[in-house]
Short mmCIF file of all heavy atoms in Angstrom, two decimals:
data_model
loop_
_atom_site.label_atom_id
_atom_site.label_comp_id
_atom_site.label_asym_id
_atom_site.label_seq_id
_atom_site.Cartn_x
_atom_site.Cartn_y
_atom_site.Cartn_z
N LEU B 39 -4.33 0.96 -11.76
CA LEU B 39 -5.19 2.13 -11.58
C LEU B 39 -6.57 1.74 -11.06
O LEU B 39 -7.23 0.85 -11.60
CB LEU B 39 -5.33 2.85 -12.92
CG LEU B 39 -5.95 4.26 -12.87
CD1 LEU B 39 -5.07 5.20 -12.07
CD2 LEU B 39 -6.17 4.78 -14.29
N GLY B 40 -6.96 2.38 -9.96
CA GLY B 40 -8.28 2.13 -9.38
C GLY B 40 -8.34 0.95 -8.43
O GLY B 40 -9.42 0.60 -7.94
N GLN B 41 -7.18 0.36 -8.14
CA GLN B 41 -7.13 -0.79 -7.23
C GLN B 41 -6.16 -0.52 -6.09
O GLN B 41 -5.39 0.44 -6.12
CB GLN B 41 -6.72 -2.05 -7.98
CG GLN B 41 -7.69 -2.45 -9.08
CD GLN B 41 -7.28 -3.73 -9.76
OE1 GLN B 41 -6.49 -4.53 -9.23
NE2 GLN B 41 -7.80 -3.97 -10.95
N GLY B 42 -6.17 -1.39 -5.09
CA GLY B 42 -5.22 -1.28 -3.99
C GLY B 42 -3.88 -1.88 -4.37
O GLY B 42 -3.78 -2.67 -5.30
N PRO B 43 -2.83 -1.50 -3.65
CA PRO B 43 -1.51 -2.10 -3.91
C PRO B 43 -1.53 -3.60 -3.66
O PRO B 43 -2.18 -4.07 -2.73
CB PRO B 43 -0.60 -1.38 -2.90
CG PRO B 43 -1.31 -0.11 -2.55
CD PRO B 43 -2.76 -0.46 -2.60
N GLU B 44 -0.78 -4.33 -4.49
CA GLU B 44 -0.66 -5.78 -4.36
C GLU B 44 0.80 -6.10 -4.14
O GLU B 44 1.66 -5.71 -4.94
CB GLU B 44 -1.18 -6.45 -5.63
CG GLU B 44 -0.96 -7.95 -5.67
CD GLU B 44 -1.14 -8.52 -7.06
OE1 GLU B 44 -1.07 -7.77 -8.04
OE2 GLU B 44 -1.33 -9.74 -7.17
N LEU B 45 1.09 -6.84 -3.08
CA LEU B 45 2.47 -7.17 -2.77
C LEU B 45 3.06 -8.11 -3.81
O LEU B 45 2.48 -9.13 -4.14
CB LEU B 45 2.55 -7.84 -1.39
CG LEU B 45 3.95 -8.21 -0.92
CD1 LEU B 45 4.79 -6.97 -0.64
CD2 LEU B 45 3.89 -9.11 0.32
N LEU B 46 4.24 -7.73 -4.33
CA LEU B 46 4.96 -8.59 -5.27
C LEU B 46 6.05 -9.39 -4.56
O LEU B 46 6.17 -10.60 -4.74
CB LEU B 46 5.60 -7.75 -6.38
CG LEU B 46 4.66 -7.07 -7.36
CD1 LEU B 46 5.45 -6.17 -8.30
CD2 LEU B 46 3.87 -8.11 -8.15
N VAL B 47 6.85 -8.69 -3.76
CA VAL B 47 7.98 -9.34 -3.10
C VAL B 47 8.33 -8.56 -1.86
O VAL B 47 8.13 -7.35 -1.79
CB VAL B 47 9.18 -9.44 -4.06
CG1 VAL B 47 9.67 -8.06 -4.47
CG2 VAL B 47 10.32 -10.26 -3.47
N GLN B 48 8.85 -9.30 -0.88
CA GLN B 48 9.20 -8.72 0.42
C GLN B 48 10.57 -9.23 0.84
O GLN B 48 10.84 -10.42 0.75
CB GLN B 48 8.13 -9.11 1.43
CG GLN B 48 8.34 -8.59 2.83
CD GLN B 48 7.18 -8.97 3.74
OE1 GLN B 48 6.09 -9.33 3.28
NE2 GLN B 48 7.40 -8.90 5.02
N PHE B 49 11.42 -8.29 1.27
CA PHE B 49 12.76 -8.63 1.74
C PHE B 49 12.89 -8.33 3.23
O PHE B 49 12.34 -7.35 3.74
CB PHE B 49 13.82 -7.77 1.03
CG PHE B 49 14.03 -8.07 -0.42
CD1 PHE B 49 13.27 -7.43 -1.40
CD2 PHE B 49 14.98 -9.00 -0.83
CE1 PHE B 49 13.47 -7.69 -2.74
CE2 PHE B 49 15.19 -9.27 -2.17
CZ PHE B 49 14.43 -8.61 -3.13
N GLN B 50 13.61 -9.18 3.90
CA GLN B 50 14.08 -8.89 5.24
C GLN B 50 15.61 -8.88 5.13
O GLN B 50 16.21 -9.92 4.86
CB GLN B 50 13.61 -9.95 6.24
CG GLN B 50 13.96 -9.65 7.68
CD GLN B 50 13.09 -8.55 8.28
OE1 GLN B 50 12.11 -8.12 7.71
NE2 GLN B 50 13.47 -8.09 9.46
N ASP B 51 16.20 -7.68 5.29
CA ASP B 51 17.62 -7.51 4.96
C ASP B 51 17.83 -7.92 3.51
O ASP B 51 17.12 -7.45 2.64
CB ASP B 51 18.49 -8.27 5.95
CG ASP B 51 18.29 -7.79 7.37
OD1 ASP B 51 18.39 -6.57 7.60
OD2 ASP B 51 18.00 -8.63 8.25
N GLU B 52 18.75 -8.82 3.22
CA GLU B 52 19.00 -9.19 1.83
C GLU B 52 18.21 -10.42 1.38
O GLU B 52 18.30 -10.83 0.23
CB GLU B 52 20.50 -9.43 1.61
CG GLU B 52 21.05 -10.65 2.32
CD GLU B 52 21.39 -10.40 3.78
OE1 GLU B 52 21.11 -9.29 4.28
OE2 GLU B 52 21.93 -11.32 4.41
N SER B 53 17.41 -10.99 2.27
CA SER B 53 16.71 -12.25 1.97
C SER B 53 15.27 -12.00 1.56
O SER B 53 14.56 -11.21 2.17
CB SER B 53 16.74 -13.15 3.20
OG SER B 53 18.06 -13.44 3.58
N VAL B 54 14.84 -12.77 0.55
CA VAL B 54 13.44 -12.75 0.15
C VAL B 54 12.64 -13.57 1.15
O VAL B 54 12.97 -14.74 1.41
CB VAL B 54 13.26 -13.34 -1.25
CG1 VAL B 54 11.78 -13.48 -1.59
CG2 VAL B 54 13.96 -12.47 -2.29
N VAL B 55 11.61 -12.98 1.73
CA VAL B 55 10.78 -13.71 2.68
C VAL B 55 9.41 -14.03 2.12
O VAL B 55 8.70 -14.88 2.66
CB VAL B 55 10.63 -12.96 4.02
CG1 VAL B 55 11.97 -12.87 4.71
CG2 VAL B 55 10.05 -11.58 3.82
N ASP B 56 9.00 -13.35 1.04
CA ASP B 56 7.72 -13.64 0.41
C ASP B 56 7.78 -13.16 -1.03
O ASP B 56 7.89 -11.96 -1.28
CB ASP B 56 6.56 -12.95 1.14
CG ASP B 56 5.19 -13.39 0.64
OD1 ASP B 56 5.08 -13.89 -0.49
OD2 ASP B 56 4.21 -13.22 1.40
N ASP B 57 7.74 -14.07 -1.96
CA ASP B 57 7.63 -13.71 -3.39
C ASP B 57 6.53 -14.54 -4.04
O ASP B 57 6.59 -14.84 -5.24
CB ASP B 57 8.96 -13.86 -4.11
CG ASP B 57 9.48 -15.29 -4.11
OD1 ASP B 57 8.83 -16.17 -3.49
OD2 ASP B 57 10.53 -15.54 -4.72
N SER B 58 5.54 -14.91 -3.26
CA SER B 58 4.49 -15.79 -3.74
C SER B 58 3.65 -15.16 -4.86
O SER B 58 3.05 -15.88 -5.65
CB SER B 58 3.57 -16.21 -2.58
OG SER B 58 3.03 -15.06 -1.95
N GLN B 59 3.58 -13.84 -4.92
CA GLN B 59 2.79 -13.16 -5.95
C GLN B 59 3.66 -12.58 -7.07
O GLN B 59 3.15 -11.86 -7.92
CB GLN B 59 1.95 -12.05 -5.31
CG GLN B 59 0.97 -12.53 -4.26
CD GLN B 59 0.01 -13.56 -4.80
OE1 GLN B 59 -0.60 -13.37 -5.85
NE2 GLN B 59 -0.12 -14.68 -4.10
N LEU B 60 4.92 -12.88 -7.06
CA LEU B 60 5.83 -12.37 -8.10
C LEU B 60 5.80 -13.29 -9.32
O LEU B 60 6.07 -14.49 -9.19
CB LEU B 60 7.25 -12.29 -7.55
CG LEU B 60 8.29 -11.57 -8.41
CD1 LEU B 60 8.02 -10.07 -8.44
CD2 LEU B 60 9.69 -11.86 -7.87
N PRO B 61 5.46 -12.75 -10.49
CA PRO B 61 5.47 -13.59 -11.72
C PRO B 61 6.91 -13.90 -12.11
O PRO B 61 7.56 -13.15 -12.85
CB PRO B 61 4.77 -12.70 -12.76
CG PRO B 61 4.10 -11.61 -11.99
CD PRO B 61 4.94 -11.40 -10.76
N LYS B 62 7.41 -15.00 -11.62
CA LYS B 62 8.84 -15.27 -11.68
C LYS B 62 9.35 -15.56 -13.09
O LYS B 62 10.57 -15.56 -13.31
CB LYS B 62 9.19 -16.41 -10.73
CG LYS B 62 8.88 -16.10 -9.27
CD LYS B 62 9.23 -17.26 -8.38
CE LYS B 62 8.76 -17.02 -6.97
NZ LYS B 62 7.30 -16.93 -6.87
N ASP B 63 8.44 -15.80 -14.02
CA ASP B 63 8.92 -16.03 -15.38
C ASP B 63 9.43 -14.75 -16.01
O ASP B 63 10.25 -14.78 -16.94
CB ASP B 63 7.79 -16.64 -16.24
CG ASP B 63 6.56 -15.76 -16.27
OD1 ASP B 63 6.34 -14.99 -15.30
OD2 ASP B 63 5.79 -15.85 -17.24
N ARG B 64 8.99 -13.60 -15.51
CA ARG B 64 9.41 -12.34 -16.13
C ARG B 64 9.91 -11.30 -15.12
O ARG B 64 10.57 -10.35 -15.50
CB ARG B 64 8.26 -11.73 -16.92
CG ARG B 64 7.78 -12.60 -18.08
CD ARG B 64 6.72 -11.90 -18.91
NE ARG B 64 5.54 -11.55 -18.12
CZ ARG B 64 5.24 -10.34 -17.75
NH1 ARG B 64 6.02 -9.32 -18.09
NH2 ARG B 64 4.15 -10.10 -17.04
N PHE B 65 9.57 -11.46 -13.86
CA PHE B 65 9.95 -10.49 -12.83
C PHE B 65 11.08 -11.06 -11.97
O PHE B 65 11.08 -12.25 -11.65
CB PHE B 65 8.77 -10.18 -11.91
CG PHE B 65 7.70 -9.31 -12.50
CD1 PHE B 65 6.96 -9.74 -13.60
CD2 PHE B 65 7.42 -8.07 -11.96
CE1 PHE B 65 5.96 -8.93 -14.14
CE2 PHE B 65 6.42 -7.26 -12.48
CZ PHE B 65 5.69 -7.70 -13.57
N SER B 66 11.99 -10.18 -11.60
CA SER B 66 13.03 -10.55 -10.63
C SER B 66 13.30 -9.37 -9.72
O SER B 66 13.09 -8.21 -10.10
CB SER B 66 14.31 -10.99 -11.33
OG SER B 66 14.86 -9.91 -12.07
N ALA B 67 13.75 -9.66 -8.52
CA ALA B 67 14.05 -8.60 -7.56
C ALA B 67 15.28 -9.00 -6.76
O ALA B 67 15.49 -10.18 -6.49
CB ALA B 67 12.87 -8.36 -6.64
N GLU B 68 16.07 -8.00 -6.42
CA GLU B 68 17.24 -8.28 -5.61
C GLU B 68 17.50 -7.15 -4.63
O GLU B 68 17.13 -6.00 -4.87
CB GLU B 68 18.47 -8.54 -6.47
CG GLU B 68 18.88 -7.40 -7.36
CD GLU B 68 20.07 -7.74 -8.24
OE1 GLU B 68 20.37 -8.93 -8.41
OE2 GLU B 68 20.70 -6.80 -8.75
N ARG B 69 18.17 -7.50 -3.55
CA ARG B 69 18.57 -6.52 -2.53
C ARG B 69 19.90 -7.03 -1.97
O ARG B 69 19.99 -7.50 -0.86
CB ARG B 69 17.50 -6.42 -1.44
CG ARG B 69 17.67 -5.22 -0.52
CD ARG B 69 16.65 -5.23 0.62
NE ARG B 69 16.77 -4.02 1.43
CZ ARG B 69 16.26 -3.92 2.65
NH1 ARG B 69 15.59 -4.92 3.20
NH2 ARG B 69 16.40 -2.79 3.34
N LEU B 70 20.91 -6.93 -2.81
CA LEU B 70 22.16 -7.64 -2.59
C LEU B 70 22.83 -7.33 -1.25
O LEU B 70 23.33 -8.22 -0.58
CB LEU B 70 23.11 -7.37 -3.75
CG LEU B 70 22.64 -7.92 -5.11
CD1 LEU B 70 23.61 -7.53 -6.21
CD2 LEU B 70 22.46 -9.43 -5.04
N LYS B 71 22.86 -6.08 -0.86
CA LYS B 71 23.55 -5.70 0.37
C LYS B 71 22.59 -5.35 1.49
O LYS B 71 22.98 -4.78 2.50
CB LYS B 71 24.50 -4.54 0.10
CG LYS B 71 25.61 -4.89 -0.88
CD LYS B 71 26.58 -3.74 -1.06
CE LYS B 71 27.71 -4.14 -2.02
NZ LYS B 71 28.67 -3.03 -2.23
N GLY B 72 21.31 -5.68 1.27
CA GLY B 72 20.33 -5.42 2.30
C GLY B 72 19.98 -3.96 2.47
O GLY B 72 19.41 -3.58 3.50
N VAL B 73 20.30 -3.16 1.45
CA VAL B 73 19.97 -1.73 1.54
C VAL B 73 19.01 -1.40 0.40
O VAL B 73 17.80 -1.60 0.53
CB VAL B 73 21.22 -0.84 1.52
CG1 VAL B 73 20.84 0.63 1.65
CG2 VAL B 73 22.17 -1.25 2.64
N ASP B 74 19.55 -0.92 -0.74
CA ASP B 74 18.67 -0.59 -1.86
C ASP B 74 18.30 -1.85 -2.63
O ASP B 74 18.89 -2.92 -2.45
CB ASP B 74 19.31 0.46 -2.77
CG ASP B 74 20.63 0.02 -3.33
OD1 ASP B 74 21.26 -0.89 -2.73
OD2 ASP B 74 21.05 0.57 -4.36
#
Side-chain angles (χ1 to χ4, degrees):
Chain B
L39 193 63
Q41 298 183 19
E44 174 195 19
L45 181 68
L46 292 175
V47 62
Q48 180 177 342
F49 290 89
Q50 186 74 10
D51 300 308
E52 68 278 5
S53 300
V54 173
V55 295
D56 189 338
D57 62 357
S58 57
Q59 300 302 311
L60 189 70
K62 298 179 187 64
D63 57 334
R64 298 185 300 107
F65 286 64
S66 64
E68 60 183 18
R69 193 185 184 197
L70 294 177
K71 297 183 178 180
V73 181
D74 59 339

